[in-house]
Amino acid sequence: MKNTVVVGAQFGDEGKAKITDLLAQQADFITRFQGGSNAGHTVVVDGKKYAFHLIPSGILYENKICMIGAGCVIKPDDLEKEIGAIVSMGVSPEHFKKCLRISPLAHITMKYHSDIDGYSENALKENKIGTTKKGIGPTYTDKYARSGIRVEDLFNKDTLNNKLDIILNKKNKELEFVYNLIPHSKEEILKECERYKDILVPYVDFNWQENLREIKKNKSVLFEGAQGVMLDVDYGTYPYVTSSSPTSGGAAIGASMGAMAINRVVGVFKAYMTRVGEGAFITELNDETGENLRRIGGEYGVTTGRPRRCGWFDMVSARYSVLVGGISEIALTKLDVLDSFDEIKVAIAYKNKLTGEITKNYPTNVFTHKNYEPVYETFPGWKQDITKCKTYDQLPKNAKDYLCALEKMLEVNITIISVGPDREQTIINSAAEGDDPR
Ligand code: GDP
Ligand code: IMO
Ligand code: MG
């Protein structure tokens, strides 16, 4: 398999994990390159449902190495819980010790980061971002302010001591006077770090440079993104975004292998759209159709349980995602969710309600989005169950027409079509690629 990046191409929850799990069959090494336990990734194998947050979605295979990369942030308590949950489903603790690796360069989400995330959200009131409150923003803030704690620091007492003297001096003032939270003693934080070290020690890859050299030489790599392009800190609906870079550019940085290691970028789109948290969503449907999408698609957050906002496929943002996300082909998921709809809409442009102007370029200032309404093209539904379709040819004509129309507008081939949550419910559209794109 060519070295492949899986990128969420909408607002997250596109079904990336299912596609990562599928493509992982052909990869030797799977690496998460950004984000933390804000992600909620579902993989269904033989009817058994696994939820991942930080662990790469390829972990269910024997003999594949899964890495939590340098670009990630790790809350060790969450990771411990996540491993525990998968172990309780029958995967052995030894499997994790053998197959899971953690970059020593990843940053640690401390308890004060989650506290600050929660406090900031409450303080922002109606302007809140709607974060997962997992401490993601505050951890990345400290990383870029050069006052973060990295995994490797937990294993060096002197470094940790020195760092904490500097960090806590400022952090405690911030906690007390900005956030009205309780400051922490150094002893307390050292104890927390000791516990984190014990949780992480079986997995930390101190030999990562040698290992990656070998992998780059003769192994195939799958880069797993979390969140989505429209939540990207630079290109998403800023400030209603996450604090990392889920695009293929983020993969080049966060997986420690650089841009030349990437041969192929699979953008994952849902056949409609969802969003959790606040921020503009131009094709959102606050009506019965939106409720039907939520009910049929089971659109509730894996991490927070929040109902997802639902709407029609937005071609304006999709074309933008293809552009800035560096997407070279598409996996389209949840096509089956549209099985019962009489008609299916796609926003092919936006109309500015103030000026009447029609645009196909994505307006990046999210505060102007209230001025836009979608211009829809309507497609007839296929009104039949497609969950058992195994090949492209078995799909009903109207479904094929819908896919062709999307493909034409996106100017990128749809090579994978997902018609159900299970690994098996996947159509490889070899006509679009020339051969099996896995
Ligand atoms: P991710 O965060 O992008 O990995 O996506 P999530 O796991 O948060 O949400 C996707 C949901 O849709 C999960 O419950 C998946 O099991 C489910 N899913 C994935 N692909 C399909 C599909 O083609 N059809 C249906 N009905 N469900 C799917
Ligand atoms: P996966 O990987 C959907 C959203 C939050 C919030 C914003 C910022 O499952 O697709 P954060 O906690 O990251 O600071 O929150 O981003 N968000 C997600 N939405 N899927 C996700 O992950 C998300 N991770 C974060 O709801 O709006
Ligand atoms: Mg998710």
Side-chain angles (χ1 to χ4, degrees):
M1 188 188 80
K2 294 176 183 169
N3 287 351
T4 302
V5 189
V6 174
V7 169
Q10 295 162 323
F11 291 112
D13 302 327
E14 301 89 347
K16 296 175 293 295
K18 171 177 167 166
I19 303 301
T20 302
D21 167 71
L22 180 86
L23 296 175
Q25 284 174 45
Q26 308 292 319
D28 301 303
F29 183 77
I30 299 107
T31 180
R32 256 288 294 273
F33 56 85
Q34 45 72 232
S37 47
N38 47 349
H41 292 168
T42 319
V43 173
V44 183
V45 186
D46 298 332
K48 223 169 161 183
K49 195 167 175 174
Y50 300 83
F52 301 114
H53 299 283
L54 190 58
I55 297 169
S57 306
I59 195 75
L60 295 175
Y61 293 97
E62 284 298 326
N63 300 325
K64 306 222 184 254
I65 301 299
C66 288
M67 180 96 173
I68 298 173
C72 294
V73 296
I74 301 173
K75 194 163 187 287
D77 289 325
D78 281 357
L79 183 67
E80 188 179 40
K81 265 190 230 145
E82 189 178 341
I83 293 174
I86 310 288
V87 166
S88 73
M89 293 181 75
V91 177
S92 74
E94 286 65 39
H95 176 71
F96 284 98
K97 285 181 190 137
K98 188 176 88 179
C99 296
L100 182 65
R101 291 183 189 166
I102 293 176
S103 167
L105 305 187
H107 276 248
I108 300 290
T109 295
M110 303 294 292
K111 187 168 177 312
Y112 53 74
H113 290 129
S114 325
D115 291 346
I116 290 173
D117 197 0
Y119 177 91
S120 308
E121 281 291 280
N122 292 338
L124 279 168
K125 296 197 174 100
E126 67 278 6
N127 295 317
K128 69 176 196 272
I129 308 293
T131 75
T132 57
K133 300 191 180 174
K134 293 284 183 185
I136 304 298
T139 312
Y140 279 109
T141 301
D142 277 353
K143 166 175 167 165
Y144 287 103
R146 294 163 290 190
S147 48
I149 295 171
R150 305 207 286 195
V151 170
E152 65 180 6
D153 299 335
L154 303 176
F155 294 85
N156 189 318
K157 270 204 170 115
D158 287 344
T159 311
L160 191 60
N161 256 302
N162 293 339
K163 267 196 161 181
L164 285 179
D165 285 337
I166 302 165
I167 292 170
L168 283 182
N169 185 25
K170 200 169 137 206
K171 187 59 71 186
N172 275 337
K173 291 192 185 96
E174 191 186 328
L175 288 171
E176 202 173 351
F177 302 116
V178 179
Y179 298 111
N180 210 13
L181 292 166
I182 301 161
H184 298 289
S185 69
K186 189 171 157 191
E187 289 62 41
E188 214 182 314
I189 300 289
L190 280 171
K191 219 165 140 193
E192 185 183 347
C193 288
E194 196 57 34
R195 197 160 51 80
Y196 289 170
K197 185 178 123 185
D198 291 343
I199 295 171
L200 301 184
V201 69
Y203 316 110
V204 180
D205 185 10
F206 290 107
N207 199 30
W208 67 273
Q209 298 181 34
E210 273 313 301
N211 288 334
L212 278 188
R213 253 181 218 117
E214 282 308 304
I215 285 162
K216 276 183 96 164
K217 249 186 245 164
N218 51 28
K219 305 275 185 211
S220 63
V221 183
L222 183 62
F223 303 84
E224 180 183 22
Q227 290 80 50
V229 176
M230 301 314 290
L231 291 174
D232 181 276
V233 68
D234 291 297
Y235 298 105
T237 52
Y238 191 89
Y240 301 95
V241 292
T242 192
S243 298
S244 64
S245 306
T247 62
S248 52
I253 298 171
S256 316
M257 283 186 237
M260 295 299 279
I262 299 170
N263 309 120
R264 172 185 175 219
V265 182
V266 177
V268 186
F269 286 92
K270 245 178 227 184
Y272 51 98
M273 243 162 127
T274 61
R275 174 165 206 169
V276 225
E278 308 303 316
F281 176 2
I282 291 180
T283 58
E284 181 170 12
L285 295 166
N286 289 307
D287 60 9
E288 206 188 326
T289 309
E291 275 166 32
N292 285 339
L293 285 171
R294 186 176 309 114
R295 181 177 48 78
I296 302 168
E299 298 296 354
Y300 295 87
V302 180
T303 300
T304 59
R306 291 178 289 179
R308 295 173 181 154
R309 300 156 64 193
C310 297
W312 293 122
F313 192 96
D314 180 349
M315 186 54 72
V316 181
S317 82
R319 284 171 52 85
Y320 172 79
S321 283
V322 167
L323 178 72
V324 302
I327 291 167
S328 62
E329 65 190 82
I330 287 167
L332 193 86
T333 64
K334 301 193 102 162
L335 189 62
D336 56 296
V337 174
L338 302 179
D339 280 356
S340 58
F341 286 76
D342 293 328
E343 49 183 37
I344 294 152
K345 294 189 182 187
V346 174
I348 53 164
Y350 297 158
K351 181 177 174 185
N352 187 319
K353 289 184 272 182
L354 305 177
T355 63
E357 185 199 351
I358 303 283
T359 181
K360 288 191 173 182
N361 282 328
Y362 192 75
T364 50
N365 178 351
V366 71
F367 297 102
T368 66
H369 282 200
K370 61 181 182 303
N371 301 331
Y372 290 96
E373 62 185 17
V375 178
Y376 284 120
E377 184 168 334
T378 303
F379 297 84
W382 43 90
K383 309 279 284 180
Q384 81 186 64
D385 180 0
I386 61 166
T387 55
K388 293 182 183 62
C389 291
K390 296 278 177 216
T391 64
Y392 186 81
D393 287 340
Q394 287 171 5
L395 288 171
K397 180 179 179 303
N398 286 356
K400 284 192 241 177
D401 287 349
Y402 177 65
L403 292 171
C404 281
L406 293 184
E407 209 167 41
K408 204 166 159 205
M409 288 187 263
L410 287 162
E411 297 178 274
V412 183
N413 290 340
I414 299 173
T415 54
I416 301 170
I417 300 152
S418 174
V419 293
D422 205 279
R423 209 185 254 176
E424 300 303 316
Q425 292 175 298
T426 313
I427 296 171
I428 304 298
N429 186 12
S430 44
E433 171 78 359
D435 59 15
D436 187 333
R438 282 174 294 181

